[in-house]
Amino acid sequence: MEAKLGEFDLIWRFFNAGSESMAQTQKNQVLLGIGDDCALLQPHATQSLAVTSDMLVEGRHFFAGANAEWLGHKALAVNLSDLAAMGAKPVGFTLALALPNANADWLAQFSQGLFRMAQQWQCPLIGGDTTQGPLTICITALGHVPGGDAIKRSGAKVGDDIWVSGTLGDARLALGALRSEWPLDHSSLETILHRMHEPEPRIALGMQLRGIASSALDVSDGLLGDLRHILKASQVNAEVLIDQLPTSRTLAAQTEQLRRQCAANGGDDYELCFTAPTSKRIALESLSTSLLPLTRIGSITSASNGAEPTLILRDASGNLLNAAETMRLMQSFDHFKSN
Ligand code: ADP
Ligand code: MG
């Protein structure tokens, strides 16, 4: 029987090849096509345009009946997060919306959440499309990167540190509690729910990382799975200190197993994971104080020379995690393989 087709395999097999051959003929304008957080267009020699689309589907990305204001916020935030991952400054976005019915109250709340986020990052709505259908929100966001400074997934070098912003795992901890996968007291849930419903795109950080980070992405599907995208694109291997992953006090108070699981493979955090040469430690420590906490979580150890990259996990004492635990922590989200 043929192996189950995953989200990334299907993009690669059915969309990447076709687009690559066409992109070849447009080489001057298409700097980078499918496979990173954003595509990069270069309408002028001195600047590039980052382009990204993300879709939220009812029942898949959010529960039916979800708060419309949160949805407006999140739909734009997840796109801005991809711009942040490239070091891009938001320029504008389009909104394609399928609505089961035209409900003025719902739309008022949705647009409030959407425009609050748009205002915060000076990113205007410039067009879109509206149709009747199952609730689906699709945004395409555009961002600007001066010169050749966009931060790609493919730039990690042997010896680089691996860093992550903010804290990881709260969105997954909250989701699991809502789905009764594990118990969580009400006040703890209250303190972390905003991480799941109203993620903050790390735009300011992304722009500061231009010229500092060698590669970056935003953590949307789970840290270790997402880090593998960097390793693959950069053809390198890495080591991560699993107990060094930054977590909130709420997640730190859970069992070791749950803490590790949520931080290592929980989705929806929208923090930035990036690599940088060790010579940038002082600059990053100062950013960590002035802007947003940044934590060093591991390093790029060697080149993978075209082979499948390896990611080694160590615990707080420096011991290697066993294979079963490593496998468990590496399962990140895939729309066609995960449930
Ligand atoms: P992210 O999580 O950063 O938004 P994805 O995992 O959704 O990125 O997508 C990985 C890459 O595949 C991106 O470069 C994206 O633009 C591309 N991609 C995803 N779906 C399609 C599609 N249907 N057609 C073309 N490219 C796609
Ligand atoms: Mg991304």
Side-chain angles (χ1 to χ4, degrees):
M1 201 174 73
E2 212 180 326
K4 204 168 171 186
L5 194 56
E7 182 182 343
F8 302 104
D9 313 322
L10 88 77
I11 295 168
W12 198 253
R13 193 163 135 194
F14 295 102
F15 298 123
N16 194 47
S19 101
E20 281 234 309
S21 61
M22 220 155 70
Q24 282 301 326
T25 62
Q26 304 275 356
K27 220 169 180 162
N28 314 337
Q29 283 111 310
V30 183
L31 276 191
L32 185 66
I34 293 176
D36 214 306
D37 294 289
C38 292
L40 290 173
L41 306 182
Q42 192 161 40
H44 302 293
T46 55
Q47 49 183 255
S48 29
L49 196 59
V51 185
T52 180
S53 289
D54 260 302
M55 184 154 53
L56 296 186
V57 177
E58 183 175 81
R60 190 70 203 174
H61 301 94
F62 57 90
F63 296 120
N67 179 303
E69 194 176 334
W70 289 343
L71 281 182
H73 173 113
K74 187 162 178 175
L76 183 52
V78 300
N79 279 278
L80 295 184
S81 175
D82 278 321
L83 293 184
M86 306 296 291
K89 182 174 192 286
V91 170
F93 71 102
T94 64
L95 169 67
L97 201 54
L99 296 170
N101 50 53
N103 177 324
D105 289 341
W106 190 92
L107 284 160
Q109 286 173 37
F110 176 78
S111 52
Q112 193 172 331
L114 183 76
F115 284 111
R116 199 184 310 125
M117 174 90 327
Q119 201 90 44
Q120 186 181 345
W121 296 109
Q122 296 293 296
C123 184
L125 176 61
I126 54 169
D129 193 24
T130 308
T131 175
Q132 198 272 333
L135 183 56
T136 305
I137 306 153
C138 182
I139 285 181
T140 296
L142 308 172
H144 169 245
V145 197
D149 280 352
I151 311 162
K152 300 175 198 162
R153 296 179 179 182
S154 54
K157 298 278 179 304
V158 175
D160 281 357
D161 293 319
I162 305 172
W163 295 78
V164 74
S165 65
T167 62
L168 296 168
D170 279 353
R172 183 68 185 91
L173 181 64
L175 177 68
L178 292 174
R179 282 184 181 161
S180 305
E181 287 175 57
W182 43 73
L184 188 67
D185 65 88
H186 185 73
S187 75
S188 297
L189 180 60
E190 284 290 300
T191 56
I192 58 166
L193 257 187
H194 69 106
R195 290 301 309 262
M196 177 183 167
H197 293 311
E198 298 183 291
E200 288 304 324
R202 303 305 190 190
I203 293 281
L205 174 63
M207 285 164 59
Q208 295 275 355
L209 288 179
R210 290 178 199 153
I212 293 181
S214 50
S215 72
L217 49 57
D218 63 323
V219 181
S220 53
D221 298 330
L223 174 80
L224 296 184
D226 283 338
L227 176 58
R228 290 191 78 87
H229 294 314
I230 287 187
L231 304 186
K232 238 179 165 153
S234 303
Q235 300 205 18
V236 289
N237 303 315
E239 194 170 285
V240 164
L241 303 168
I242 200 73
D243 295 315
Q244 216 108 299
L245 302 185
T247 55
S248 68
R249 258 193 268 170
T250 308
L251 183 52
Q254 308 305 311
T255 62
E256 178 185 84
Q257 189 183 2
L258 186 55
R259 169 177 58 77
R260 283 182 174 176
Q261 182 189 335
C262 289
N265 71 15
D268 262 8
D269 291 315
Y270 299 100
E271 295 294 351
L272 296 187
C273 171
F274 58 95
T275 58
T278 52
S279 60
K280 303 291 184 190
R281 281 183 190 174
I282 291 171
L284 287 165
E285 276 151 17
S286 124
L287 257 187
S288 174
T289 319
S290 62
L291 186 64
L292 165 75
L294 303 174
T295 308
R296 202 143 41 84
I297 60 165
S299 57
I300 302 294
T301 48
S302 53
S304 63
N305 298 322
E308 191 62 24
T310 53
L311 179 51
I312 285 172
L313 304 182
R314 290 188 191 277
D315 67 15
S317 328
N319 296 321
L320 284 183
L321 260 61
N322 67 43
E325 176 75 341
T326 302
M327 278 289 282
R328 187 179 76 84
L329 294 175
M330 289 210 193
Q331 293 302 322
S332 75
F333 190 77
D334 180 311
H335 276 287
F336 295 97
K337 288 182 169 170
S338 318
N339 286 303

